[in-house]
Amino acid sequence: MSSFTCQQLDPVMYPLVNKFYQNFKVRGRAKSHDRVWVIKAENQIVAAAKLSLKDGQFLLSGVFTAPCFRGQKLASRLIKTIALDYRKPFFTFAYNHLVSWYQSCGFTEHTAPAELAPFFSAYQNQGRQIVCMIANKDCA
């Protein structure tokens, strides 16, 4: 059984998480202004998530666990760690089929704030079936 470590990455390490995302064909890449958390097993990234600053609001995206590590609540652990480390409200655009999972992680449905509304609309216009959600105080 693997021992897992959860940590916020230094931006100099972002190419490693981008390679992880690329290997699994996950949309988006970590940029220098993002904040990225990962879970490692035996020094290999097995789960990742990032907070991106969008016009003054933080948006959680890129929540992904490698398929062979799913079912171990690693993504939930990532979100809990982010909420504890960050301690400010942040949003996510959850796919409809994941809304109940995000609710179990402490999110509630929320109208997209004005700063995020253009991004939310653009994603919907691309055909993504999403719901705007906010991490509430019970997330951590």
Side-chain angles (χ1 to χ4, degrees):
M1 177 176 230
S2 296
S3 174
F4 298 110
T5 58
C6 188
Q7 66 187 83
Q8 186 174 357
L9 281 186
D10 186 291
V12 74
M13 304 300 284
Y14 287 5
L16 295 175
V17 79
N18 287 337
K19 183 70 172 170
F20 170 74
Y21 284 146
Q22 182 181 12
N23 286 343
F24 292 101
K25 298 176 177 45
V26 177
R27 286 184 181 167
R29 298 290 173 257
K31 297 174 181 68
S32 61
H33 62 275
D34 293 337
R35 296 176 185 185
V36 177
W37 285 260
V38 298
I39 292 181
K40 292 182 177 181
E42 299 174 13
N43 212 29
Q44 295 293 316
I45 296 173
V46 298
K50 62 184 176 136
L51 284 179
S52 300
L53 185 62
K54 304 275 190 192
D55 293 337
Q57 295 287 343
F58 275 96
L59 183 66
L60 177 71
S61 62
V63 178
F64 184 80
T65 301
C68 62
F69 288 91
R70 291 185 180 159
Q72 299 181 57
K73 301 189 181 232
L74 298 180
S76 300
R77 181 175 170 188
L78 271 174
I79 290 172
K80 182 176 182 176
T81 300
I82 291 168
L84 287 169
D85 288 354
Y86 186 61
R87 297 194 178 270
K88 294 180 183 168
F90 58 92
F91 295 85
T92 194
F93 300 154
Y95 286 102
N96 288 353
H97 69 280
L98 294 173
V99 168
S100 62
W101 180 80
Y102 275 99
Q103 288 170 333
S104 75
C105 291
F107 283 77
T108 55
E109 290 187 37
H110 195 281
T111 302
E115 300 89 346
L116 295 178
F119 300 101
F120 186 73
S121 293
Y123 294 149
Q124 285 185 314
N125 290 339
Q126 293 171 1
R128 298 184 197 182
Q129 300 297 309
I130 55 174
V131 174
C132 183
M133 302 185 84
I134 187 170
N136 62 41
K137 64 181 178 2
D138 298 325
C139 195

